[in-house]
Amino acid sequence: MSPTVLDRRIVEAANEAIRRYVAGRRTWSRAELAELDRLRAIWQAARQGHGRGHTHGHKGEE
């Protein structure tokens, strides 16, 4: 399997995780926003070709 196909799958999986997490939500707690931030960081890292390894160091977490 080529890296491009794998990368696309990682991006799609991360995107789907965000979609599932936000589905039907109208209000957000701080913890829920932090989780959304974490999921977005994974998605952005995947889009930039860094895979799933980028799960920390995002906004709101130290």
Side-chain angles (χ1 to χ4, degrees):
M1 181 179 325
S2 75
T4 304
V5 172
L6 182 58
D7 291 345
R8 188 174 332 130
R9 287 183 182 172
I10 291 170
V11 171
E12 289 170 1
N15 192 24
E16 182 59 27
I18 292 170
R19 288 178 187 212
R20 282 193 312 267
Y21 191 72
V22 302
R25 291 184 190 264
R26 301 223 187 271
T27 59
W28 297 82
S29 70
R30 285 183 183 228
E32 290 167 332
L33 288 171
E35 176 63 5
L36 180 58
D37 232 10
R38 186 186 75 81
L39 293 171
R40 285 180 177 159
I42 293 168
W43 174 73
Q44 287 175 333
R47 287 190 68 214
Q48 295 170 2
H50 300 298
R52 293 184 182 183
H54 183 77
T55 59
H56 50 78
H58 61 279
K59 188 176 180 180
E61 178 179 295
E62 297 181 358

